[in-house]
Amino acid sequence: MPTELGSEEITTSERRVFAALAGSSLSGVALHSLNLPDHEYKLTAELDFLLVLDDLILAVEVKGGQVSCRDGLWTYSDRKGHRRTSREGPFKQVQTAMYALRKRLRERLGVKMDDVAFGFLVVTPDVNLSSSFEWDDETYCGRGPFDRGLERAVERARKHWVGKQTDKFTIAKELHTRLMQDLRPSFDRSPLLDARANLLDAAMVRLTDEQYARLDLISDEPRVICSGGAGTGKTFLAAEVARRQALLGRRVLFTCRSEVLAAFATRTLEGTSVDVKAASELGGVTPYDVLVVDEAQDLMTYDILEDLERAVVGGWADGRWTMFLDQNSQAHLYADFDPDALAYVQSFGPVKPSLKFNCRNTREIVFQTRAYTGADTGVATAGTGPEVVFVAVDDQAAELAALEKHLRALAEQEVAPEHITIVSLRGDWETSVAKGLQATRKGRLAQMSPALASVWPGGGMTWSSAVDIKGMENRFVCVIDIDSVATETELDLLYVALSRPRAGLWVATTPWVKQQLSDLSKQHLDGAMDAYKKAMV
């Protein structure tokens, strides 16, 4: 059963239910954590899980820990001893939420929903409740049935509810597609990478339908090379693939070339059984069941491929592996990229999905990145944002003054320091303009490192080279130390830097660099305009 795990703020019991569903052979889709805006008598209601089966929509309520009812008062206790009481029991709670969902779907999708059967199931994986006249036994799964297999409890509930609604029909393919389009944006809210560090605000992004389709495809295929430009969610998807495979009980290795990105991925996958290692650490590892490779274009040498092959059971030919790579020109960031090595991996017949929608950058950032580098970073879906600011500076002193002024402006607009990253194209701290900042003198500017990446975005303003920040992002980015954008390597660095921010991009340019950018825009402007128009549709 394809499943999508929602918010990071989920209980242990919900994770257990998710794992049981992920490992089942049920035919359908399981979605996690649906917040309903309309409810019969509440401002909001939440469904822990929703199962869209072939012939039934089943709402599932999960109550972990101790559950008891005395004189109509329900008491819930978690494993830490925290207790709460409620007059509304889990059966009434899930029933009213189910009705609210059915009403909403009827309003949004029309009379076709009248032909669809609905039902509910309460799961208490830690305790067994005594039978009661208040609910049918088929609508409840206690500890015993859960331990014997949630799949059987779901099937039992399905037969119960379908049997009570004999005038309903199997959900047609077209209606199923419309249901997914309607439910997923409200249901599966996945946090941005910076929200995983719990240091940014609670802003959430919705995965595009394309990304869901890629996740489903990747889960079903043993060998995959997924390509996409910066901002299309490759690192996020790589982590989700690794997480999903681990939930199936497989030993999973997540790897990349950058030690900084590996540290960031370790934090992202915290709480899972996934092992994260930089490529330089793969020597002598016991082969894993699944290999997930992020920023795979950085690993295309035969020496590294040999290490990767030894790290997965079955190797390239028969192993289960998934690679995420950027099809744009990033090959020159590491001097050892070998196109023959990439062709070698491709010779093993992996499926090759691609990501076409940008879910990180604003339309303005996507446009400017493509206008100057020609890179296809996908159609922007994040909406509009502030204009990209290019500031002309004559020398390092002027660049330092302009950067200080911009940082003061961000502070005046109450932008938190940890939401700001200064990206240096030169990548040399000793010669960087940022070394002269007031924040640096006061010890308030941290340089990128694996330690910082493991708590990204940290507690203050950050400085990074373009190479080290690959695969990561922040809300506001200032690009500095641009000496030239004439060579392929320099263009690759510019591409990485311009595509890091989610909201605001500020770039300092000398007259020489400004002229180079002007020449580049003449080559790529038409393509950038076409992509911008698509994003506006």
Side-chain angles (χ1 to χ4, degrees), residues 326-365:
D326 192 330
Q327 77 278 10
N328 293 299
S329 54
Q330 288 197 51
H332 302 92
L333 292 181
Y334 293 95
D336 52 6
F337 175 83
D338 186 345
D340 291 335
L342 177 58
Y344 173 70
V345 176
Q346 291 173 334
S347 71
F348 293 98
V351 297
K352 299 178 182 179
S354 59
L355 301 169
K356 297 297 183 184
F357 293 96
N358 186 306
C359 54
R360 174 205 295 157
N361 308 126
T362 64
R363 291 170 185 150
E364 291 79 5
I365 292 170

Side-chain angles (χ1 to χ4, degrees), residues 223 291 293 300 302 304-310 312-323 344-345 348-349:
R223 288 170 290 283
L291 174 66
V293 183
M300 289 303 137
Y302 280 107
I304 295 178
L305 291 185
E306 286 181 6
D307 290 339
L308 293 176
E309 183 168 31
R310 286 192 291 266
V312 61
V313 175
W316 296 123
D318 300 312
R320 179 175 285 274
W321 49 268
T322 299
M323 289 186 170
Y344 173 70
V345 176
F348 293 98

Side-chain angles (χ1 to χ4, degrees), residues 93-383:
Q93 181 180 346
V94 69
Q95 182 183 45
T96 54
M98 179 199 72
Y99 285 136
L101 173 65
R102 186 170 70 177
K103 178 182 177 182
R104 169 187 155 181
L105 291 174
R106 174 63 166 76
E107 292 172 348
R108 295 172 70 94
L109 302 182
V111 296
K112 289 184 178 181
M113 292 307 304
D114 294 339
D115 295 329
V116 176
F118 282 77
F120 61 82
L121 176 67
V122 173
V123 181
T124 60
D126 298 312
V127 298
N128 289 317
L129 299 178
S130 300
S131 296
S132 172
F133 67 89
E134 295 185 22
W135 62 83
D136 294 321
D137 288 343
E138 295 86 351
T139 67
Y140 170 62
C141 174
R143 182 182 62 187
F146 181 80
D147 290 342
R148 289 191 293 271
L150 180 60
E151 182 175 339
R152 285 195 286 180
V154 171
E155 181 59 23
R156 184 182 182 214
R158 187 196 67 79
K159 290 180 179 178
H160 170 76
W161 288 112
V162 171
K164 291 174 68 74
Q165 302 168 74
T166 56
D167 59 333
K168 307 303 182 183
F169 301 96
T170 299
I171 301 174
K173 182 177 180 179
E174 179 183 355
L175 180 58
H176 185 279
T177 299
R178 293 184 63 190
L179 279 168
M180 291 301 99
Q181 291 173 341
D182 187 79
L183 290 172
R184 273 175 163 162
S186 298
F187 224 116
D188 285 300
R189 292 192 170 188
S190 299
L192 281 170
L193 300 177
D194 53 5
R196 287 190 183 278
N198 295 322
L199 294 173
L200 295 182
D201 61 18
M204 308 294 276
V205 293
R206 298 180 175 96
L207 288 178
T208 66
D209 289 338
E210 177 195 48
Q211 288 173 306
Y212 280 114
R214 295 304 179 266
L215 275 174
D216 292 340
L217 170 64
I218 291 166
S219 295
D220 295 336
E221 294 291 337
R223 288 170 290 283
V224 179
I225 295 180
C226 183
S227 62
T232 55
K234 297 186 300 300
T235 296
F236 176 82
L237 290 177
E240 286 301 309
V241 168
R243 190 193 312 271
R244 185 182 281 194
Q245 292 293 328
L247 284 170
L248 296 176
R250 293 167 175 154
R251 290 185 66 246
V252 181
L253 173 64
F254 181 108
T255 189
C256 56
R257 183 157 184 169
S258 167
E259 293 181 1
V260 170
L261 183 56
F264 175 68
T266 299
R267 174 62 181 268
T268 304
L269 289 164
E270 188 176 16
T272 74
S273 62
V274 178
D275 286 342
V276 179
K277 296 180 182 294
S280 59
E281 303 173 314
L282 296 184
V285 300
T286 301
Y288 288 78
D289 301 323
V290 180
L291 174 66
V292 179
V293 183
D294 193 25
E295 299 287 352
Q297 72 278 353
D298 297 344
L299 302 171
M300 289 303 137
T301 75
Y302 280 107
D303 288 342
I304 295 178
L305 291 185
E306 286 181 6
D307 290 339
L308 293 176
E309 183 168 31
R310 286 192 291 266
V312 61
V313 175
W316 296 123
D318 300 312
R320 179 175 285 274
W321 49 268
T322 299
M323 289 186 170
F324 290 84
L325 59 81
D326 192 330
Q327 77 278 10
N328 293 299
S329 54
Q330 288 197 51
H332 302 92
L333 292 181
Y334 293 95
D336 52 6
F337 175 83
D338 186 345
D340 291 335
L342 177 58
Y344 173 70
V345 176
Q346 291 173 334
S347 71
F348 293 98
V351 297
K352 299 178 182 179
S354 59
L355 301 169
K356 297 297 183 184
F357 293 96
N358 186 306
C359 54
R360 174 205 295 157
N361 308 126
T362 64
R363 291 170 185 150
E364 291 79 5
I365 292 170
V366 169
F367 173 78
Q368 297 290 352
T369 301
R370 186 158 188 168
Y372 292 117
T373 69
D376 182 1
T377 55
V379 177
T381 59

Side-chain angles (χ1 to χ4, degrees), residues 193-199 235 256 258-270 276 421 446-465 467-474:
L193 300 177
D194 53 5
R196 287 190 183 278
N198 295 322
L199 294 173
T235 296
C256 56
S258 167
E259 293 181 1
V260 170
L261 183 56
F264 175 68
T266 299
R267 174 62 181 268
T268 304
L269 289 164
E270 188 176 16
V276 179
T421 296
Q447 297 179 49
M448 179 63 80
S449 66
L452 176 58
S454 69
V455 293
W456 186 257
M461 196 185 315
T462 51
W463 177 95
S464 176
S465 69
V467 172
D468 281 343
I469 202 171
K470 280 183 53 172
M472 300 167 64
E473 60 188 55
N474 209 341

Side-chain angles (χ1 to χ4, degrees), residues 460-492:
M461 196 185 315
T462 51
W463 177 95
S464 176
S465 69
V467 172
D468 281 343
I469 202 171
K470 280 183 53 172
M472 300 167 64
E473 60 188 55
N474 209 341
R475 182 173 296 178
F476 292 88
V477 168
C478 309
V479 183
I480 62 170
D481 301 334
I482 309 177
D483 299 318
S484 171
V485 289
T487 69
E488 291 179 319
T489 299
E490 290 166 347
L491 280 175
D492 288 355

